[in-house]
Structures are given as structure tokens and as C-alpha cells.
Amino acid sequence: MAPRNRELTVRALARVEGEGRVDVTVREGRAERVELNIYEPPRFFESFLRGRHFLEPPDITSRICGICPVAYQVSACNAIEQACELELDDAVRDLRRLLYCGEWIASHVLHIYFLHAPDFLGLPDSIALARRDREAVERGLSLKKAGNAILDVIGGRPIHPVNVRIGGFHRMPTTAELIPLSDELCTALDHAVATVRWVSSFDFPDVELDHDLLALHDDSSYAIDDGEIWSSTGLRCTADEFPKHVVERQVPHSTALHAELDGRRYLTGPLARYSLKSSQLAGVSAQTAADAGLGAQCRNPYRSIVVRAVEVVYAVEEALRIIDRYERPAEPFTAGPPIRTVGHGVSEAPRGLLYHRYEFDPTRSIRAAIIIPPTSQNQAAIEHDLRRAVDGNLMPADDDLTTLCERTIRNYDPCISCATHFLTLTVDRR
Amino acid sequence: MGCGRCIDWCPVGIDITEEAARLVQLMPAYRPEDSNGERRRSAAAPCHLDHRHRLRFAELSTPVRFAAGEFVFRENEPATPCWLLGTGSVVLTTLVPGRGTVALETCTECKRRGLTCVMVADGTPCLGSVTHSGCGAQCPSVSRGCYGCFGPTTDPNLAAMSGWLRTCGMNEDAIGRIFATFNVAAYGSEGHDRGAPE
């Protein structure tokens, strides 16, 4: 029988990016206190952006994350290009989306194969997974390599790409340089479909979330690199209006700010994107989603692994389409100084919506910067989900309940260093 | 710190620093037995892994052997493998004839790749000649100037570099900013003379 009062502790949560802990106190069978404690020291990026030149944020903010640097570069570019009133060439936008597809593939595959899948297979890590199913791990590595190859060819290197700049790129690749990518991506498409098939065979606990969902929308495609902000409760707004709806606040137990959407907790990321825009998937990704048993919406956090795998299929297909129609533009970038004092930019990082805001002074330097990463926006939803997992839970062993808490968190692929940032779990059963 | 690069590289998807810290915490110091059979603390075991955990790491590695005096790794080669030192020691040196032990500049990597100098040819500000090598001259390969990720090289000639940056149209504020970004060390932090504008 489960103890009425319990205290759980995970000293170091593995298989998430960054460091943090969870404190759970159960009193009389109810979760009295559930706190996701992000204790990584603050990283002060917004402070040291002050006084920098308006062209610098893509290089500086990409350092916030080694897994999703492109997201930081693109949101920064979108915000600053808005302030400079720059219109980008379609081919330049396309190439930026291609670069972003590379990051989605690399980041999602990392989480699916190396961080998340072991949870469903009762394995401690991917080394154990490689012993049991070498083929799966090799497939994962090959798929991640394909994502990295896109980043390398277009960005100049797979981590913290150097080729991105405000208004476009420093240098546009030639058509011939993209051809080897096409060959690699054709193989990757088979691997991506096999990945969906593999993860959809896992056992998923029956859980449904009721959070409000927030994602970018673009009429013409599944939004990645830019778009209008849509929510499942009917909000439609532009990046400029984001601060009117999303308010950040400090909580005592976390160095990452919590965020609320019009006063409510909400979720951003793969589940939100898929649930709001699954009708925009077409071709192989739509077919594999249907074959995997995903409906028009997916609100089961455990099934996020299937949604990520479907998004990998989409990113590979989209990358192939972009390479297919690519013609090298005459100019790699459009240039111009800030015209407006303030610029807002958004894009869909692998973990969810990433917002940047910059304010400029007359010398074209940054006066103020605000960066709102997806994991920080998702903290309240994660805590809510943890509370539900623990509340009235009859698992007799603390170890099992602790494992459940860790799984609950890993479902969200938190990037704590981005949020600043996560995880040791303490459960206090009184 | 906390940028996630290590987790991105790690083939097993774990944060090595976290795991290593835990092992250090849990395990007694690594104490190999000496010839007399007495247990002693080894100076060559800075991470204090015990025998069991060394074996666990060794299990996941491919054995290699290097002859005495053999170069194990040369600058500019991709730093992909990690070595778990079984026996022997490794000496780290960089020697340039006539200059003694120094760090090479990114500039030399550009030359080796046969790239056109972006500063000389296009007037693009580039820190390549005062920056530690290792990246393979990534930025000039995409037609931009080096912005100094790998930090200042040994004894960088900042006075000459500042002159070039001014020629490329940068003012003193901009030069101050490019020498102080978010990288390993600020250029000029060792008191190197940046040179006054003419």
C-alpha cells in the first residue's frame, strides 16, 4: 500500500539538457508541493546584449544553446529585421528554413533516440539500448548526422553556425553544394519513417493534457521559421503583440522565469504545433502520422515522442523540397540599419515558441533585450503535469514514483540551460 | 557553461559532467597498487575513478597503443576521439621554428585551405591573425571575417590588427566591441597594446 505521506528525491535527473531538481511533498496522499527547481545560475544574456551593435545578436544568442542555436539566430534575425524593415528574398527565406529543418532533425532525433526512448523500453540509457537493439541506435545516429550535415553545409558548422546574419547569409551555397545533401536526405527519409514506426509501437500511459496550446501559424506551410501566433483557445496575434498576452514572473524556486498566457498556464512545442496545425502536414509525414495512430490532435505528453518523429519526417521532406527548388540568389543578404526603435521576432525552436525583443538607441546599439525561451514558458505546464502524476498515486515504492516524475519531465524535452536554466527531485512525504 | 554542447556530442546522450561529478562523489579515489602491493593515490588519476568504473569506461573504448615519441594528435586535426590513458603520459607542445612554443593563428588555417583573405581582398574586418587556431577557418570559408571564437593567440599583435580594423572602416567603439565578445578571453586582457588611432 502507498504511504500517505512521502518525500521523493532525484539527485540528478539524467537525459535532460541542463541541471535542476524536483521537490515533491505528499501529505495524506495529496501532492502538497510540486516544484520544478531550476537552479542553474542565471546567464545574463539579456544584460550583456546591452550596448552591442544591432548586427551582433545572432552570434551572441546562438551561444545560449548548443542544441538549438539556429532557433536563437532566426528569432534574433526576425526581431531585428522587423526593426530594420527589411524584406528578404524568397530564396534567402527558403534557405533559412532549410537550415532550421536541419536543426529540427538533429535536435528531435537526439531526444527521441538518446534521451526519451530508453524510458519506454525500461532501459537506463542508450548504451543499454545499443546492446539490445544496435540497429535502432545506428539508425538514430545516421539520422542525426543528416541533420548535422544540413547545418554544416549551410551554416558552416553543425553547432553555432557562422553563416547566418541579419538580412540573410554571409554566403549562399551553390546548387552543386546542396546536391550531396539530397542524397543523404533520401536515405534519411526512410530512416525517419522507420523511426515513427518504431516509436509508435511503444506503450503509452493514458494521459490527456488540458493546457492551452500555443504555436506559430503560417497559411502556406507548417510554421517553423516565422508566423502568426495562434492558440487553441482562439488567440491570433503577431510577434509585436506577444508581450501583451504573455507575462513572465519570478518564482522563488527557479532561476528561470515562469510565463502565463492571458493569466493561464499553457504549452508550446511539438504537441501544440501538431494539435494546431496537423492539417498542414501532407505527403509522407501525413501518411506516417495516420499510420502511427495520431488523430488531428495529440494531447498525450508520452506520445510527444511520436509527434517529434513525425516532425522529423516533415523536416526531411521539407528540406528535400527546398533543395529541389533552390536557385542561388544574386545577393546573399539585404542590409539596412534599424528604422524602428523596437523589433519583435518569433520562431518555432524544436522545443517550442522562442520570442526575442530588441530595443535600439540612435547609435544602432541595443538598449534592451528580452528573450523568452520555450522551456521557461512550459514550466507551469510541467509542474501541473507532475502534480497530477503524484496526486493520489498509489505506487507503493518511492523509487517507482520518482521514476514516473522523471519520465513526466522528459516528455517535455526541457532545455534547462536555455530557460536558465534544471534537475534533482526531492519528495517530502509528511 | 550549460550550453548543451557536451550533450549534443555525447554518443550516449548523457551530460558527462553531471555523470562524472556523481562518480567522483560516490567513488573512493582511484588507488592502483604499486609494485610492493601497497595501495597509494595515483598522481595520474585526476578524475579519481575507481578500478571498476575505469573498466566500465574501457569496455566502451577501442584499445590503441602509441610508440614513445609518436605524435598522438596534431593541431587542426578534428578533435573527435577521447583517450582514456592506460599507461604512460602525454606531452602537450606547440613548436614553431624560430618562435618557440606558441599557439598557431586561425590565419594559418585559412592559408592551408587556400581561401582568399577576406580582409585584404574585400576589406572585411577579420580577427584571424590574432586568434587561436582550431576551427579550421570557418568564417572566411563563408566570406565573413573571423570574430574570435577561439580567443587570442600567444602574443597577438593587436596594434597592427587595430590599424587594419580602422582601415576596414571600424571606429574605436566597434574595435572595442570586437575585441571583447563572449569568447575564451578578451583580446588585450594581458595588457597587449592596442595602438592609438593615427
Side-chain angles (χ1 to χ4, degrees):
Chain A
M1 189 184 147
R4 299 293 296 161
N5 301 312
R6 59 208 310 194
E7 183 182 336
L8 309 177
T9 305
V10 178
R11 293 284 309 277
L13 187 95
R15 290 188 275 122
V16 295
E17 203 296 319
E19 288 150 33
R21 67 189 252 159
V22 169
D23 286 309
V24 177
T25 306
V26 179
R27 195 194 289 271
E28 295 304 315
R30 311 301 301 176
E32 184 182 71
R33 183 173 67 110
V34 176
E35 287 177 358
L36 174 64
N37 290 13
I38 292 184
Y39 60 79
E40 269 194 37
R43 295 169 73 203
F44 303 115
F45 269 86
E46 285 139 317
S47 303
F48 62 69
L49 278 161
R50 284 185 212 143
R52 307 299 307 196
H53 191 250
F54 80 98
L55 291 173
E56 290 186 86
D59 287 331
I60 296 178
T61 59
S62 73
R63 260 64 180 187
I64 291 174
C65 190
I67 302 175
C68 56
V70 173
Y72 284 91
Q73 295 185 321
V74 172
S75 283
C77 284
N78 287 346
I80 297 165
E81 285 157 7
Q82 187 199 57
C84 301
E85 297 184 358
L86 297 182
E87 285 299 324
L88 268 59
D89 188 293
D90 283 347
V92 172
R93 281 218 173 277
D94 250 9
L95 198 70
R96 193 178 271 177
R97 187 171 169 86
L98 174 57
L99 182 71
Y100 221 137
C101 286
E103 178 159 289
W104 270 33
I105 297 166
S107 172
H108 275 355
V109 168
L110 172 75
H111 189 256
I112 293 168
Y113 280 90
F114 302 100
L115 309 183
H116 209 186
D119 276 345
F120 294 93
L121 302 166
L123 297 170
D125 51 43
S126 57
I127 297 177
L129 175 59
R131 287 206 186 92
R132 189 198 279 185
D133 190 351
R134 185 186 173 105
E135 197 193 330
V137 172
E138 283 182 346
R139 184 173 63 227
L141 286 170
S142 153
L143 204 42
K144 183 168 190 310
K145 211 171 153 190
N148 282 14
I150 299 179
L151 294 163
D152 201 11
V153 169
I154 297 162
R157 62 179 167 195
I159 299 166
H160 305 149
V162 297
N163 195 14
V164 177
R165 59 157 288 155
I166 305 297
F169 291 88
H170 290 278
R171 175 186 175 274
M172 296 299 277
T174 61
T175 317
E177 284 168 329
L178 298 186
I179 290 169
L181 281 182
S182 263
D183 298 340
E184 193 165 353
L185 287 167
C186 286
T187 315
L189 189 56
D190 293 338
H191 287 330
V193 171
T195 303
V196 178
R197 215 172 286 139
W198 181 56
V199 297
S200 60
S201 69
F202 295 164
D203 284 334
F204 300 103
D206 199 11
V207 179
E208 285 278 299
L209 299 170
D210 59 356
H211 313 306
D212 200 350
L213 306 174
L214 189 78
L216 293 185
H217 171 87
D218 180 340
D219 285 339
S220 60
S221 59
Y222 198 83
I224 299 177
D225 53 306
D226 205 352
E228 209 186 353
I229 300 160
W230 282 29
S231 86
S232 55
T233 45
L235 172 75
R236 305 274 187 275
C237 76
T238 59
D240 304 51
E241 296 161 325
F242 184 84
K244 286 186 203 146
H245 298 280
V246 172
V247 175
E248 286 189 301
R249 66 187 168 88
Q250 180 83 59
V251 295
H253 61 271
S254 175
T255 54
L257 299 170
H258 277 226
E260 284 180 337
L261 175 68
D262 294 326
R264 301 184 302 274
R265 72 168 186 280
Y266 67 104
L267 181 70
T268 175
L271 290 182
R273 287 193 292 256
Y274 181 85
S275 297
L276 288 166
K277 315 185 290 193
S278 62
S279 61
Q280 288 183 307
L281 296 174
V284 186
S285 53
Q287 188 57 49
T288 46
D291 293 346
L294 288 175
Q297 290 203 7
C298 178
R299 284 176 168 269
N300 181 334
Y302 290 92
R303 281 188 194 272
S304 65
I305 193 169
V306 185
V307 174
R308 277 186 201 94
V310 168
E311 286 193 335
V312 171
V313 176
Y314 176 78
V316 175
E317 273 188 299
E318 182 72 356
L320 281 164
R321 279 192 289 267
I322 294 172
I323 293 172
D324 198 42
R325 63 176 182 243
Y326 177 72
E327 280 179 35
R328 194 183 198 205
E331 295 300 329
F333 60 87
T334 317
I339 294 166
R340 302 189 209 170
T341 346
V342 176
H344 308 257
V346 284
S347 72
E348 282 286 354
R351 286 154 198 81
L353 198 148
L354 170 62
Y355 167 82
H356 284 219
R357 175 189 183 274
Y358 298 97
E359 193 179 323
F360 304 98
D361 67 20
T363 68
R364 302 173 183 180
S365 296
I366 294 164
R367 181 180 282 155
I370 294 175
I371 296 169
I372 306 183
T375 297
S376 113
Q377 299 176 62
N378 286 345
Q379 283 176 106
I382 298 173
E383 283 185 355
H384 186 268
D385 208 12
L386 271 171
R387 180 176 291 276
R388 191 166 55 175
V390 173
D391 227 8
N393 192 298
L394 298 177
M395 280 181 178
D398 280 0
D399 281 357
D400 293 342
L401 186 53
T402 301
T403 304
L404 180 70
C405 289
E406 290 187 77
R407 288 190 65 180
T408 302
I409 291 157
R410 281 198 284 266
N411 284 339
Y412 293 91
D413 186 13
C415 187
I416 286 160
S417 300
C418 282
T420 281
H421 302 281
F422 168 97
L423 203 80
T424 304
L425 173 71
T426 319
V427 181
D428 182 10
R429 301 188 194 214
R430 288 185 209 163
Chain B
M1 184 189 65
C3 77
R5 266 179 286 177
C6 41
I7 205 172
D8 202 50
W9 289 337
C10 177
V12 295
I14 53 173
D15 184 341
I16 290 287
T17 51
E18 180 76 13
E19 299 288 311
R22 287 281 289 150
L23 287 171
V24 169
Q25 200 178 30
L26 294 173
M27 301 305 148
Y30 170 56
R31 290 165 188 216
E33 288 179 12
D34 69 11
S35 52
N36 301 325
E38 287 173 21
R39 292 182 69 79
R40 60 181 171 82
R41 179 182 282 257
S42 167
C47 58
H48 301 302
L49 289 180
D50 72 0
H51 193 57
R52 190 163 62 90
H53 285 83
R54 273 181 79 81
L55 286 178
R56 168 99 173 103
F57 274 131
E59 232 178 81
L60 304 164
S61 322
T62 310
V64 285
R65 181 187 292 275
F66 298 99
E70 190 181 342
F71 271 102
V72 174
F73 174 78
R74 287 172 201 274
E75 191 160 323
N76 203 36
E77 286 174 350
T80 42
C82 286
W83 287 288
L84 181 68
L85 210 55
T87 54
S89 61
V90 172
V91 179
L92 298 170
T93 48
T94 308
L95 290 165
V96 172
R99 289 173 62 193
T101 309
V102 295
L104 295 178
E105 298 86 7
T106 305
C107 217
T108 61
E109 299 185 305
C110 222
K111 304 297 169 286
R112 263 184 259 167
R113 285 183 70 166
L115 298 170
T116 304
C117 177
V118 295
M119 191 146 75
V120 174
D122 311 327
T124 304
C126 178
L127 296 186
S129 60
V130 292
T131 299
H132 199 295
S133 62
C135 71
Q138 303 270 2
C139 289
S141 77
V142 293
S143 311
R144 76 177 284 190
C146 164
Y147 59 97
C149 297
F150 279 53
T153 185
T154 322
D155 202 18
N157 189 349
L158 297 187
M161 173 53 77
S162 304
W164 267 95
L165 296 176
R166 288 180 198 113
T167 308
C168 294
M170 289 177 84
N171 62 25
E172 297 311 306
D173 280 353
I175 292 173
R177 275 198 306 263
I178 200 172
F179 279 146
T181 54
F182 42 87
N183 300 313
V184 216
Y187 294 78
S189 56
E190 312 253 336
H192 300 124
D193 181 14
R194 213 180 265 177
E198 285 164 19

